[in-house]
Amino acid sequence: MTTSNIADAKIVAIGGGHGLGRILSALSDYGSQVTGIVTTTDNGGSTGRIRACQGGIAWGDTRNCINQLITEPSVGSMIFEYRFRGNGELSGHNLGNLMLKALDNLSIRPLEAINLIRDMLKVKTHIVPMSEHPADLAAMIQSGEIISGETSVDELQEVPQRLYVEPAVPATREAVTAIEEADVILLGPGSFLTSVMPPLLLKEIELALKSCNANIVFVTNLDKENGPAGMMSLETMLHWCERAMGGRQVDGVLSDQYRSELDARYHQVIEDLASSNHEWRHDREKLKHAVDKLIVAS
């Protein structure tokens, strides 16, 4: 792709929570050319409590992404980001989660709720839930036991054998279309097992990734994860992604250091990506610069 039409590049980023929000905010200058496909299996915190009493998909990761994309402070953004304190039933709830759930109840489909909030907060980047149907993440461990729930998977003391999304819900059609039309697809950064992997486990997303023409790039974390993902090598993570994509190979790896253990078929892009304030957090400007290079290369 030439420098002259970088602005027309279509970018898809897949993940959840802080990692996806970080990369979407780094790419906010691309506006509506960027689509974030967000994991919807969280069952902890405010999101988990809302799901337990109201059902539906998990809203926390979507809210986190929107929060990081808000560029114009307003009364609306302050309300959306507000978290209740104290000891009552509302304590710990994020008002943004409650707003998304309320709009979901008033809308025909969850994506409409997201788009209403995006319009209100002037967020141009597309935010698409991986599925509009409620589901949970589950893992099979070495003994053959199935562990259900994203928080339980995060607390495992071993790397699971397999991950599943239960029930086998369909992917959101806009997510599939975005993948089919993308020039570059970014996997991560973020929690590998509970943020990056869940969308890849949906059949329609697997098939779309397997057949797409995009350059698929895995974005590494800057620090080792806690939990079972921290026990996995980068090579293993890439293998898991490729298995979930029906054998489609990851084209490249964006990282802050060269990984000599990786097969030569992976194009490694090495950049200084760390924030000056927090070495484990990606710097937005550095991320944008690195992704610009990936787009030109594609």
Side-chain angles (χ1 to χ4, degrees), residues 7-282:
D8 297 325
K10 293 190 175 182
I11 309 165
V12 168
I14 299 175
H18 297 285
L20 179 61
R22 197 73 177 170
I23 206 154
L24 292 180
S25 63
L27 300 176
S28 59
D29 286 351
Y30 283 97
S32 60
Q33 297 300 114
V34 179
T35 299
I37 299 176
V38 189
T39 293
T40 56
T41 51
D42 189 9
N43 67 329
S46 168
T47 292
R49 289 163 60 194
I50 293 170
R51 291 188 70 191
C53 67
Q54 291 279 320
I57 65 172
W59 289 106
D61 285 354
T62 296
R63 187 211 78 244
N64 197 321
C65 289
I66 293 172
N67 271 348
Q68 295 194 58
L69 283 162
I70 296 170
T71 55
E72 297 179 26
S74 64
V75 173
S77 67
M78 286 192 295
I79 291 171
F80 190 69
E81 295 176 28
Y82 180 77
R83 187 178 293 274
F84 291 94
R85 309 296 178 191
N87 300 313
E89 288 186 15
L90 285 175
S91 179
H93 270 305
N94 188 291
L95 188 52
N97 289 342
L98 296 172
M99 290 170 69
L100 282 162
K101 182 59 188 173
L103 288 170
D104 180 25
N105 290 342
L106 294 170
S107 304
I108 294 174
R109 50 188 300 217
L111 186 58
E112 289 183 5
I114 296 170
N115 288 338
L116 285 168
I117 290 289
R118 282 178 54 233
D119 289 345
M120 182 182 83
L121 298 175
K122 298 181 172 62
V123 170
K124 294 180 180 179
T125 303
H126 294 287
I127 308 289
V128 180
M130 71 180 208
S131 178
E132 295 181 285
H133 300 265
D136 285 297
L137 186 65
M140 184 177 75
I141 59 176
Q142 303 282 348
S143 65
E145 182 185 357
I146 302 296
I147 306 297
S148 294
E150 191 173 293
T151 54
S152 298
V153 173
D154 258 338
E155 292 168 359
L156 287 174
Q157 300 300 307
E158 61 183 83
V159 177
Q161 294 282 84
R162 296 293 291 246
L163 288 179
Y164 309 88
V165 169
E166 294 183 334
V169 293
T172 307
R173 62 178 180 270
E174 286 83 355
V176 173
T177 300
I179 290 169
E180 290 171 344
E181 296 178 352
D183 296 299
V184 174
I185 295 173
L186 305 171
L187 306 178
S191 303
F192 179 71
L193 293 174
T194 55
S195 291
V196 179
M197 280 299 298
L200 308 187
L201 300 174
L202 303 185
K203 193 64 181 176
E204 294 86 353
I205 288 180
E206 173 197 339
L207 295 174
L209 288 167
K210 183 179 180 179
S211 60
C212 74
N213 294 317
N215 191 23
I216 300 180
V217 178
F218 186 91
V219 185
T220 69
N221 293 328
L222 301 179
D223 198 9
K224 198 166 191 176
E225 281 191 62
N226 295 320
M231 306 173 200
M232 301 173 72
S233 67
L234 176 55
E235 197 171 21
T236 301
M237 291 181 184
L238 294 170
H239 171 69
W240 275 53
C241 290
E242 290 168 345
R243 182 175 66 186
M245 297 189 297
R248 167 64 150 88
Q249 293 184 355
V250 172
D251 298 299
V253 174
L254 174 59
S255 181
D256 62 329
Q257 56 184 293
Y258 181 76
R259 312 295 180 113
S260 59
E261 72 274 16
L262 292 185
D263 191 285
R265 66 186 171 87
Y266 296 112
H267 175 59
Q268 295 193 48
V269 179
I270 315 303
E271 296 284 341
D272 171 23
L273 298 170
S275 166
S276 56
N277 298 327
H278 303 282
E279 291 182 358
W280 48 267
R281 181 183 292 168
H282 290 78

